[in-house]
Amino acid sequence: MTRPILAIETSCDETAAAVLAATGDPDRPWAMLSSVVASQSELHRSWGGVVPELASRQHVRDLCGVVDAALVKAGVSPADLSALAVTQGPGLVGSLLVGVAFAKAFAWAQGVPVIPVHHLAGHIESLVLAHGEMPLPAAVLVVSGGHTSLYFIPEKGRYHLVGRTRDDAAGEAYDKVAKLLGLGYPGGPAIDRAAREGNERAHDFPAARLTHADRNDPQPTAPDGMLPADVARRVDFSFSGLKTAVLRLVRDLTGAPQEGKAAGTGAFAAALTPQQVADISASFQRVVVSALLDRTFEAARWLEARSVGIAGGVSANSRLRAEAESRGVRLGIPVFVPPLSLSTDNAAMIGAAALRKLEAGASGDYDFNADPSLPLNQ
Ligand code: KG4
Ligand code: ZN
């Protein structure tokens, strides 16, 4: 095992640190020595979503303790570290800055470099950290509160963006629909639970088919020639129409006014019966899960992928996991999903992506800044 690295993640509302080391084993290249996550979801719950200013202040309060705990758990002292890794972006700028400033100061004090990491590269490499190297090429869907992005991975450490959401991320749609149904924040786990008691055929919500070009951005996301033109357009995502359909139904069922914002806030959710909430949750979830998986498996087929991966917070969804697995079995393509502890935000995945960059010859430095809209397409 090589000298360990310390990874830091503060891009949104989880303060996280982890210690990892390269194993020297080409099939299972990285070992996780510790991973500590302090979630802020209690803090943001009463606001119904993440409040950026509160998030960055809480990162400042929690980060030293979280780093200490990660080092102690791993049995590693700062002097043992060979590098730091930190999420550079995308994310909330104030939150990212806390991690980046901390990582630079800590690394400088130890005389070691800092590897800046893209948050989505972290989600993708969480699959390799958990399961070992995937058969390549692979199609990997990163689906979280901020992203719904489909990547083609032709070789280790290369990530080509082939599909993305044109509006809301899938996790964002979960969170907004949960709010409408009075299920609280974060909404994904709450809808996942409620849906178990519901009839998924109770409501026929529309599944968006993107057959027309986006007027603001007419090019499909996949680079020219990677996919046939009609397929390239079809593997972009859209969830805002679905969210509006749920809003209309809730207004109809509760007698809430058709105009005005009040019905979108969950203020009328109390008028829904638990069975209505369960049926809406199950029907909404059926449409989201098939939209995600139809596109991922269609892209995988055209790209001749030898494996499919699904990562990010929404990959914790029980229906998505079960259906991805059964489609994989049916189509004879292995499907990889991270364990729950690695699917929502954590620092172990950031360490994994940093070890990937180190393998490829990156040396790290202090000369980078937090970038809230950092692209990943390389
Ligand atoms: O990756 P993540 O922790 O943070 C971002 O980078 O956004 O993802 C958080 C998102 C939230 O929208 C949350 O509602 C969703 O993941 N989520 C779920 C489930 N668990 C978390 N969505 C559906 N089903 C779940 N079980
Ligand atoms: Zn994330």
Side-chain angles (χ1 to χ4, degrees), residues 94-109:
S95 291
L96 289 165
L97 273 168
V98 175
V100 167
F102 181 98
K104 285 184 186 175
F106 195 109
W108 187 74

Side-chain angles (χ1 to χ4, degrees), residues 40 139 141 179 206 208 230 245 249:
Q40 301 179 359
L141 175 69
K179 196 169 178 180
D230 58 325
L249 174 71

Side-chain angles (χ1 to χ4, degrees), residues 265-302:
T265 62
F268 294 86
L272 295 169
T273 65
Q275 193 57 52
Q276 284 175 322
V277 170
D279 288 346
I280 297 171
S281 297
S283 305
F284 163 79
Q285 183 158 280
R286 173 177 55 83
V287 176
V288 174
V289 166
S290 50
L292 293 173
L293 294 181
D294 287 352
R295 288 159 171 78
T296 302
F297 280 90
E298 178 159 24
R301 184 165 67 86
W302 284 101

Side-chain angles (χ1 to χ4, degrees), residues 16-74:
V19 179
L20 286 88
T23 60
D25 173 352
D27 295 331
R28 277 200 97 86
W30 315 309
M32 182 172 83
L33 307 184
S34 67
S35 175
V36 176
V37 180
S39 169
Q40 301 179 359
S41 52
E42 274 311 313
L43 173 71
H44 300 289
R45 179 160 295 150
S46 56
W47 304 92
V50 177
V51 183
E53 180 63 22
L54 295 181
S56 26
R57 285 167 190 266
Q58 195 61 32
H59 287 308
V60 172
R61 285 187 205 105
D62 286 342
L63 188 51
C64 289
V66 166
V67 165
D68 245 352
L71 290 171
V72 168
K73 267 195 169 171

